[in-house]
Amino acid sequence: EALSKALELQPQRENTHKYLVLVRLSQDRPQEALSEMEREPNPGWRLYGLALALHALGESEKADGALAELIETGGRDMAVQSAECHACRGDADEAFEWLERAFDQRDAGMVLMAHDPLLTHLEDDPRHAAMMKKLGFRD
């Protein structure tokens, strides 16, 4: 409701559609997530959301294309998001490779790792605990 109100007040605000995508995906409503992402004005965030929504819809080839373009055009600035996309796909090795890049780059998104629902697929992997320790979230 708050995100819809934010869009009503500022329809071209960046990131609002991205957050709606995450909400719709958590509600298992991937088609609505895809519709939201197509309206995201920021190209990097749009590719990120498209990669997630298309994957959730089972459109692997299109999801792969969106993720590849995200990495090609925004790789350095979107390391955490690339990790999230790989984690959602079940590709832990790639996800941790991107998380290491994010850590090395001091990506601000790393501060959310302890509560990132898109990274929950990684929690059983020992590399997750090691990264949490490296970030200072665990002893």
Side-chain angles (χ1 to χ4, degrees):
E1 191 176 304
L3 292 169
S4 295
K5 183 65 174 176
L7 282 174
E8 184 181 311
L9 296 171
Q10 291 183 310
Q12 293 303 312
R13 180 171 169 76
E14 292 184 2
N15 295 332
T16 308
H17 290 288
K18 173 195 76 169
Y19 289 117
L20 277 168
V21 164
L22 298 175
V23 169
R24 297 297 178 242
L25 289 174
S26 74
Q27 296 170 332
D28 198 27
R29 296 161 57 185
Q31 189 61 52
E32 290 177 45
L34 180 62
S35 296
E36 284 299 336
M37 212 61 251
E38 291 171 343
R39 293 191 295 262
E40 170 60 49
N42 179 291
W45 290 121
R46 185 172 44 255
L47 289 168
Y48 164 71
L50 288 173
L52 292 170
L54 290 166
H55 174 73
L57 286 166
E59 295 187 35
S60 299
E61 193 171 309
K62 289 180 182 178
D64 291 348
L67 179 54
E69 191 174 345
L70 171 69
I71 290 169
E72 181 181 321
T73 60
R76 177 162 173 78
D77 296 327
M78 304 290 277
V80 170
Q81 290 73 27
S82 296
E84 290 171 330
C85 290
H86 284 291
C88 288
R89 295 162 173 249
D91 188 353
D93 291 338
E94 283 289 322
F96 282 108
E97 188 175 309
W98 280 102
L99 287 172
E100 286 294 338
R101 289 181 196 179
F103 179 83
D104 291 343
Q105 295 168 192
R106 305 290 190 245
D107 188 317
M110 294 296 286
V111 300
L112 302 174
M113 187 175 167
H115 303 289
D116 189 332
L118 298 177
L119 298 177
T120 58
H121 299 13
L122 304 177
E123 290 176 352
D124 292 335
D125 190 302
R127 294 173 288 184
H128 186 272
M131 180 60 75
M132 296 296 285
K133 186 174 182 177
K134 197 173 178 178
L135 290 166
F137 294 144
R138 294 196 181 139
D139 296 329

